[in-house]
Amino acid sequence: MRVASGKVVGGQIIYEGDLPEGADVTLIADDHEVGFEVDAELKAVLLEAIAGCDRGEKISADQLLRELQSDE
């Protein structure tokens, strides 16, 4: 997984990068009217978490649920 930026031009997303043809993508619109807002500090934390996953630093959903339950 990687984070990339692009722009909407004429109703289409313009991305200049090296994603392979047919790659599945997820879009998060940087629009203050929908979704949620994050400040620069939280954005940096989220990007570092994604980078950690790319490095293999992740746990399963089951493990996450067990950890959340143990914190209650």
Side-chain angles (χ1 to χ4, degrees):
M1 176 187 249
R2 54 183 123 161
V3 175
S5 298
K7 291 207 178 282
V8 176
V9 177
Q12 295 191 352
I13 298 166
I14 306 300
Y15 166 71
E16 294 182 17
D18 61 350
L19 293 174
E21 184 69 27
D24 291 326
V25 297
T26 301
L27 303 173
I28 300 174
D30 188 10
D31 183 343
H32 297 289
E33 295 180 21
V34 296
F36 58 93
E37 295 181 37
V38 296
D39 60 20
E41 182 179 352
L42 180 54
K43 183 176 180 179
V45 169
L46 292 171
L47 292 174
E48 176 53 35
I50 291 169
C53 289
D54 287 343
R55 293 188 300 267
E57 301 166 3
K58 52 192 169 189
I59 61 173
S60 69
D62 290 335
Q63 178 64 33
L64 174 62
L65 291 174
R66 283 193 296 275
E67 289 182 17
L68 290 173
Q69 290 172 345
S70 70
D71 288 341
E72 293 179 354

